Amino acid sequence: MRYRSVIDMHVVNRMQAFGWQPIVGAIALVIVLAVGAIVGSQGPEARAGMYLGMTWNGAIFAVLGPMIGYGFTSMGQYFPLALGMGLTRREFAAGVSLVFLANAVVYAVLITIGKMIEVATGGFGLQIRFFDVFYTGTGPAWQTLIQTFLLILAVLFLGAAITAAYLRFGQALLWIGGAVLAVLAVALLAALILIDGFGRGLLELLTLDWGSWMAVIAAIGVASGAVWLLLVRRTQAR
């Protein structure tokens, strides 16, 4: 199988493949460190409050953010190119799956190492949070490794599945999908306002234990991957 050609497509632009992510991530980390130094100068109480508040610090998406678009790029940009080069859909699917898996492994390991250093040094001596956050897991390092891996892999396959569906069904998919999301949003808001106890139940749902959330993320990834593999066989390049 010539899946190696698909991998080469994804890494031929080195800055896009694995250059910008660490650069932008380093810039975000420097900004967070600067914030930590400024707030830390206000005293222990300010540092403690900042450390707690930074549990939901989204700066880590400077690293994870490009992963959101990587799945879209794989189908939207490289799928037509692969078919034009004479690669089969099976070879393309195999190559992209390996690319997604490698990205998930590498970034999960890097973020876990960053978290271990951050925790061991007390937030780099400034009580800041960059790696040890809600989105990548605030539990033990092994949880962060699993959570980050599953999150990246699910997002990559979800992006690829959405793009494949767009290529297969066209703009009708966007209109129908947007309409469905709008109806769901209105229904959710109405339920929060009109149904007693709905908000409490929703909060309990959102505060599931770590293992349950990992199962949800894994299910999203598996479903997205299955849909993507199904559509790759039937999608025409545009």
Side-chain angles (χ1 to χ4, degrees):
M1 294 181 69
R2 295 170 294 168
Y3 59 83
R4 179 59 186 271
S5 298
V6 180
I7 298 175
D8 291 340
M9 291 178 194
H10 285 77
V11 301
V12 65
N13 186 334
R14 298 182 185 277
M15 288 301 293
Q16 178 178 310
F18 41 73
W20 287 115
Q21 292 90 327
I23 292 174
V24 176
I27 293 172
L29 178 58
V30 169
I31 293 173
V32 173
L33 289 171
V35 171
I38 294 171
V39 175
S41 65
Q42 306 302 311
E45 291 186 3
R47 286 196 297 270
M50 175 186 65
Y51 186 73
L52 179 60
M54 278 193 174
T55 302
W56 295 272
N57 179 19
I60 190 64
F61 283 99
V63 179
L64 297 180
M67 297 296 100
I68 296 174
Y70 210 41
F72 294 95
T73 302
S74 293
M75 278 302 297
Q77 181 175 340
Y78 298 124
F79 178 64
L81 179 59
L83 296 187
M85 293 174 59
L87 297 175
T88 67
R89 295 167 189 268
R90 180 176 297 180
E91 289 168 339
F92 176 79
V96 170
S97 296
L98 289 174
V99 169
F100 287 178
L101 183 62
N103 273 277
V105 169
V106 170
Y107 284 104
V109 169
L110 290 177
I111 289 173
T112 301
I113 292 173
K115 172 189 173 149
M116 294 172 65
I117 296 173
E118 182 177 291
V119 172
T121 58
F124 300 104
L126 296 171
Q127 288 189 283
I128 61 97
R129 288 178 184 263
F130 183 82
F131 299 101
D132 186 29
V133 292
F134 172 80
Y135 316 102
T136 54
T138 56
W142 64 268
Q143 289 188 355
T144 294
L145 181 66
I146 294 174
Q147 181 169 334
T148 307
F149 172 78
L150 291 177
L151 179 64
I152 293 175
L153 204 59
V155 167
L156 286 169
F157 278 116
L158 180 60
I162 291 173
T163 307
Y166 171 74
L167 292 174
R168 177 67 176 83
F169 301 107
Q171 290 192 2
L173 175 75
L174 300 180
W175 288 106
I176 294 173
V180 171
L181 290 176
V183 170
L184 290 176
V186 172
L188 179 61
L189 180 60
L192 287 171
I193 296 173
L194 301 175
I195 301 177
D196 291 336
F198 183 84
R200 191 184 316 110
L202 182 62
L203 181 61
E204 291 177 357
L205 179 63
L206 295 175
T207 54
L208 291 172
D209 61 273
W210 180 83
S212 297
W213 269 118
M214 294 308 99
V216 171
I217 295 174
I220 293 173
V222 170
S224 298
V227 170
W228 172 66
L229 288 173
L230 178 65
L231 290 175
V232 162
R233 296 174 179 272
R234 295 166 171 80
T235 299
Q236 298 300 319
R238 296 187 179 184

